[in-house]
Amino acid sequence: MTAVADETTTEADILAVAREQVLERGEGLSERQVLDVLRLADDRVPELLALAHEVRMRWCGPEVEVEGIVSLKTGGCPEDCHFCSQSGRFPTPVRSAWLDIPGLVKAAAETAATGATEFCIVAAVRGPDARLLSQVRDGIKAIRESGNDIQIACSLGMLTQEQVDELVEMGVHRYNHNLETARSHFPNVVTTHTWEERWETLRMVREAGMEVCCGGILGMGETDEQRAEFAVQLAELDPHEVPMNFLIPQPGTPYESYDVIEGKDALRLVAAFRLAMPRTMLRFAGGRELTLGDLGAEQGMLGGINAIIVGNYLTNLGRPAEQDLEMLSGLKMPIKALSETI
Amino acid sequence: MTDRFCVHCGQAYDGSGHAECRNPRTALEPPRYCPQCARRMVVQVTPSGWQARCSRHGEATSADAPAPG
Ligand code: SF4
Ligand SMILES: [Zn+2]
Ligand SMILES: [Zn+2]
């Protein structure tokens, strides 16, 4: 370990390196460099966040993409993702529920009313079956017939090539499928499918021309090394968007007694991910309310984040959308408009 | 009427105790158990609210009640 310590102390300061490499040249940090960022002393975190914000402004601009999500099919999932209250394998209080088409149209309307340009339809499944895909098809049709032209994304688990093609044909423009954590940590988190199977779905989604949305959850017992590993694995995938979730320990799941990640560490991760992926849309997703509170959310917006989920999540509640919209207006960050995204 | 059961854990609740069910995490949870009979409810979260249905006692929504703390 001494050799590693020597290496970090004798090398140039990581923030000075990042300024030249990431801010000036737009080249993301390597795994080793991300780890150096994650190990910066606490008193350097404000400087780190300021640099990550500069990088975001330089390579992504000031706009913030706002999204709403809804669960079309809740609970009863056959998979065993250890963080998830919707797995049917754990004694959680979440019961199976299906949202009907009028409910879906209403959820899309509520989302559009916030000024959001993205609406993501999510289902707790290993992968979609014919019934689910037909519900999605009918739902999208009904949303369009209601006069709502919000962009529609889906998150329906692992896909076959035929299902990928079907979603493209329905007009789904972006697909979310999270790798969840570093490849080396994934077998500790999920045993019913592999990281590579998830990667394969993402590959097909990209090749079919949909935008790739892929992130994960931090605070699932991964080491700093694995956090750095995950950041560069995502950078290698080069998704359009990376949603960053922080674990909310869910009653009945194997992770129910895990500690919530500390606010300062969550912010450090936001900035580190930004420095690993200067051009990627980095979205605040679940867990930020619990981990960061109101002040931390603002610090994150000034530390590399350029997209948010507003309103409630799939099984958890968020803070009211108005509060986030006020925060953005206070920060003078414009909300990305629909016309610019098409 | 007075609730008899905790909506977060489904155990008997008389308005006191249940510290583990009244914290920042549960403030972001919709109700999961019927406060009248402790059955697990079918809960749908939507972008701006939630609906929770007990097979015996019917539906409650975020419009009727503030999110439980
Ligand atoms: S596949 Fe999705 S819904 Fe199913 S257990 Fe894993 S995270 Fe939960
Ligand atoms: Zn309780
Ligand atoms: Zn009841």
Side-chain angles (χ1 to χ4, degrees), chain A residues 29-103:
Chain A
L29 294 186
S30 69
E31 187 170 340
R32 174 71 234 190
Q33 291 172 319
V34 173
L35 187 58
D36 285 347
V37 164
L38 293 176
R39 289 184 171 162
L40 276 174
D42 284 355
D43 63 2
R44 306 227 32 219
V45 170
E47 194 187 335
L48 164 66
L49 292 171
L51 175 62
H53 182 58
E54 270 188 84
V55 167
R56 168 265 175 121
M57 295 300 268
R58 163 91 188 262
W59 296 103
C60 303
E63 291 182 330
V64 176
E65 192 190 84
V66 176
E67 177 187 52
I69 63 176
V70 78
S71 178
L72 178 60
K73 186 249 167 194
T74 304
C77 180
E79 301 306 290
D80 76 342
C81 310
H82 289 18
F83 53 85
C84 182
S85 64
Q86 301 196 67
S87 167
R89 295 173 182 250
F90 310 131
T92 79
V94 174
R95 282 188 63 184
S96 295
W98 276 84
L99 184 62
D100 59 13
I101 302 287

Side-chain angles (χ1 to χ4, degrees), chain A residues 71 92-97 99 107 110-111 249 251 311-317, chain B residues 24-25 27-30 32-33 40-50 67:
Chain A
S71 178
T92 79
V94 174
R95 282 188 63 184
S96 295
L99 184 62
E110 287 172 1
T111 298
N312 294 331
Y313 299 93
L314 305 174
T315 60
N316 292 110
L317 311 177
Chain B
R25 184 188 65 74
L28 297 168
E29 263 284 313
R32 293 284 172 195
Y33 296 90
R40 262 196 320 155
M41 297 189 290
V42 174
V43 180
Q44 176 72 53
V45 172
T46 60
S48 63
W50 50 260

Side-chain angles (χ1 to χ4, degrees), chain B residues 34 36-39 54 56-57:
Chain B
C34 176
Q36 294 177 56
C37 70
R39 277 186 179 77
C54 168
R56 177 73 57 89
H57 295 102

Side-chain angles (χ1 to χ4, degrees), chain A residues 124-137:
Chain A
V125 289
R126 177 182 169 91
D129 58 11
R131 177 189 175 200
L132 178 62
L133 279 180
S134 111
Q135 183 88 343
V136 170
R137 179 183 293 277

